[in-house]
Amino acid sequence: MTQVRNFSIGGPVLEVQNISLRFGGVKAITDTSFKVLMHEIRAIIGPNGAGKSSLLNCINGIYKPQEGKILFKGEVLDRISPNIIARKGISRTFQNLALFKRMSVIDNILVGRRLHMSANFLQVAFQTPAATREERENRERCEEIVDFLEIRDIRDTPVGRLPYGLQKKVELGRALATEADVLLLDEPMAGMNVEEKREMCRFILKVNDELGTTMVLIEHDMGVVMDISDNVVVLDYGKIIADGPPEAVRTNQNVIDAYLGVAHD
Amino acid sequence: MTSKPILGPYSQGDILRLGAAMAVTFLVLPLIIQSDYWYSSILIPWLCLALAAIGQQFVMGYAGQLALGAAGFMAAGAFALYNIELRLPWMPFPLALFFSGLIAAALGVLFGLPSLRVRGIYLMVATLAAQFFIIWTIDKFGWFKNYDTSGIITAQDIVIFGHAFTSPLEMYLVVAAVVTVLTILAINMTRGSVGRNWMAVRDMDIAAESMGISLLRTKLQAFALSAFYCGVAGALFAFTYLKSLEPVAFDIKLSFQILFMVILGGLGTINGAFIGAGFILLFPVVLNTVGNAWFHGMIDATIISAIEQVVFGALIILFLIYEPLGMAKLWEKLRARTFGMSAVRPTVPADLAQKP
Ligand SMILES: Nc1ncnc2c1ncn2[C@@H]1O[C@H](COP(=O)(O)OP(=O)(O)OP(=O)(O)O)[C@@H](O)[C@H]1O
Ligand SMILES: [Mg+2]
């Protein structure tokens, strides 16, 4: 983190308070609380099945936790659907790629601009000046993202035909296009080689530095986590076992035990 | 790549093609075709069915909702127009046609509601309810048919600015004008944010929702616009092709035909609606003509119709497996090979594509 940050880390923007989530008998998350600070890069780590993705799914409204609440900018996000939560300023990427497969790269990114476009279907059908201006401005914005992510050569390719790593990049682009205040990134670097990971880190850091976007990212690669995150939450069996700066978390005995697979009592 | 966009989502090439299509539709064909048969039995039903197929494209090709009931909405549009002409004769024809579409659209929203709960084959069954319910209602309540008992009701004349459009050529021009306008609006919507939202819902609904798209609004919008197009198509179909109003003309078979037009023509393309409609309409005619010419009536008509069914079935399966983008895609490939044009149409203004 050698770049200069335009935004210094502030107070809590997202507060997860005592949430529990069950699927039948499976306890995915148990009484979990933590806070994400404004403009920070927050990593969530933990072994497979720890409940990391479920946590993100709770935050953006895909899962409804049975207990607890989630506050965003002081407002409770309760039982509202993902599209309303997106409106409030939370966007995301998915662990198992959730791109619009038959649409081109640029069209995928354009969908990320959804909330910046307000022309209704009649305005679009009749190509009113407002609708065409809005379309043009948002396309220009997406072209900037295409350039930023260095994916100009694939901009018209249907994303379903792209290799995995590029699809991950496009999904990041779509999330960036939303210009949300908080981005939830579920393993954005999974399946990438070292080069690609480094590149991805560069993008994430740059966006955070320049735009101040708060990032909550799930990542298994400890090197990456240590490098880019301001704070780390460690989940194990649906519970938080550590929360703090990367150096502190790395030396935490609970964390070491969890990763070494020490038996629970 | 291609030339600069000069009008909204249209490149210069698009404008040329659109202009050529319009010149052929409104000038060349009317000048060269003298035979009423061509207008009444080929061009008019082709354009009407293509319009309904565009409606089916919205909901199925773009929004990805497996809906089956287009003919029901066509019936709604047809009987709506009949009743408006009957009860509100002062209303100008274009306005009456518009309201017929609106009535169908309202029904479309109603019968689109199951799409919020179920998908795939279950949705198909649920939307079949539209088909049966609409036809049943028209049959059951005499009011819709103005208590006619003869079974066949003659459609009123189309009168615009005091002129009755009664000859096949005149009716063709009315249909062509409506279809041209609605096709251009359809292209504008599907190439713009409306179509993108639909396709996003089609390809990955949970991601679409996470980007701020309301599934409820987007799906119902697709159903409403689909039913509007089908309603207008049905009204035109009844008033210019059938020239009568009979619910049986809009049975489940027609709904299936429109579904097949979209699959064969190519899901998610406006071209495909026209190609698919043309194919479904002309194929039996061609088969019959060929059958008679080659075998001199030695083959029974029932056999020919059986062959027709088999070929349709086989084609649909082949297209679903090998070319889900349908004949529209084949046509593009062919064009690319013959004229060396780009096979992939950039979906974006080309000047942005050329940024270094
Ligand atoms: N939709 C679901 N239905 C049933 N069980 C689920 C569902 N989603 C998650 N689970 C269960 O909840 C637990 C936590 O899963 P989750 O995907 O959140 O883990 P994770 O930490 O993201 O793991 P990974 O590192 O493998 O991605 C698992 O036991 C999983 O099987
Ligand atoms: Mg996960």
Side-chain angles (χ1 to χ4, degrees), chain A residues 127-254:
Chain A
Q127 292 286 299
T128 62
T132 43
R133 180 169 12 90
E134 172 187 275
E135 177 83 6
R136 172 156 293 275
E137 285 168 1
N138 281 287
R139 279 186 182 282
E140 278 163 9
R141 198 64 203 86
C142 292
E143 296 301 337
E144 287 168 23
I145 292 171
V146 165
D147 284 334
F148 172 67
L149 295 176
E150 295 155 21
I151 48 176
R152 178 145 301 280
D153 49 328
I154 55 161
R155 95 188 258 295
D156 295 318
T157 313
V159 288
R161 290 202 211 134
L162 296 173
Y164 186 78
L166 279 177
Q167 293 199 26
K168 282 267 170 196
K169 232 168 152 179
V170 174
E171 212 184 348
L172 177 69
R174 186 180 67 186
L176 292 180
T178 63
E179 291 177 20
D181 301 319
V182 173
L183 289 190
L184 313 175
L185 308 175
D186 196 345
E187 306 199 15
M189 293 165 236
M192 290 188 167
N193 63 32
V194 180
E195 277 308 303
E196 291 170 323
K197 279 187 185 176
R198 189 169 301 149
E199 198 185 21
M200 215 58 176
C201 287
R202 181 161 60 81
F203 295 140
I204 290 171
L205 283 172
K206 193 151 188 236
V207 170
N208 176 259
D209 288 340
E210 290 179 2
L211 306 175
T213 310
T214 307
M215 309 268 184
V216 180
L217 89 149
I218 299 177
E219 183 49 56
H220 281 291
D221 185 327
M222 289 306 280
V224 166
V225 171
M226 294 298 139
D227 273 358
I228 70 170
S229 55
D230 297 303
N231 283 298
V232 184
V233 164
V234 190
L235 272 183
D236 191 24
Y237 290 100
K239 290 187 184 140
I240 290 191
I241 56 170
D243 183 355
E247 314 80 49
V249 163
R250 191 172 44 175
T251 50
N252 183 305
Q253 192 56 43
N254 288 340

Side-chain angles (χ1 to χ4, degrees), chain A residues 23 26 28 47-54 63 95 187 220:
Chain A
F23 296 102
V26 180
N48 291 107
K52 306 180 295 296
S53 299
S54 301
Y63 291 166
Q95 180 168 357
E187 306 199 15
H220 281 291

Side-chain angles (χ1 to χ4, degrees), chain A residues 60 82-83 86-87 91 94 98-103 107 110 114 117 121 124-125 127 135 139 152 155-156, chain B residues 1 8-9 185 188-189 193 196-197 199-200 202-204 207 209-210 212-214 221 347-349 355:
Chain A
N60 104 303
N83 71 304
R87 256 163 240 272
S91 187
F94 294 81
L99 285 164
F100 311 122
K101 284 215 162 57
R102 289 198 265 158
M103 298 169 73
D107 280 351
L110 267 162
R114 167 71 185 88
M117 304 183 79
F121 75 95
V124 175
Q127 292 286 299
E135 177 83 6
R139 279 186 182 282
R152 178 145 301 280
R155 95 188 258 295
D156 295 318
Chain B
M1 268 196 241
L185 297 183
N188 290 347
M189 286 190 287
S193 56
R196 271 199 310 271
N197 293 345
M199 291 188 282
R202 171 194 73 191
D203 282 359
M204 189 57 80
E209 222 188 345
S210 298
I213 292 175
S214 156
Q221 180 190 57
T347 53
V348 284
K355 258 174 81 169

Side-chain angles (χ1 to χ4, degrees), chain B residues 256-280:
Chain B
F256 269 109
Q257 280 183 328
I258 291 164
L259 183 85
F260 295 157
M261 287 172 195
V262 169
I263 294 175
L264 290 180
L267 285 166
T269 60
I270 299 295
N271 277 351
F274 286 89
I275 299 173
F279 183 81
I280 299 268

Side-chain angles (χ1 to χ4, degrees), chain A residues 16-40:
Chain A
V16 174
Q17 296 183 352
N18 308 97
I19 66 164
S20 296
L21 175 74
R22 288 180 299 274
F23 296 102
V26 180
K27 286 182 174 174
I29 303 172
T30 315
D31 197 20
T32 286
S33 308
F34 72 101
K35 288 178 181 153
V36 177
L37 305 178
M38 187 87 85
H39 309 310
E40 78 166 334

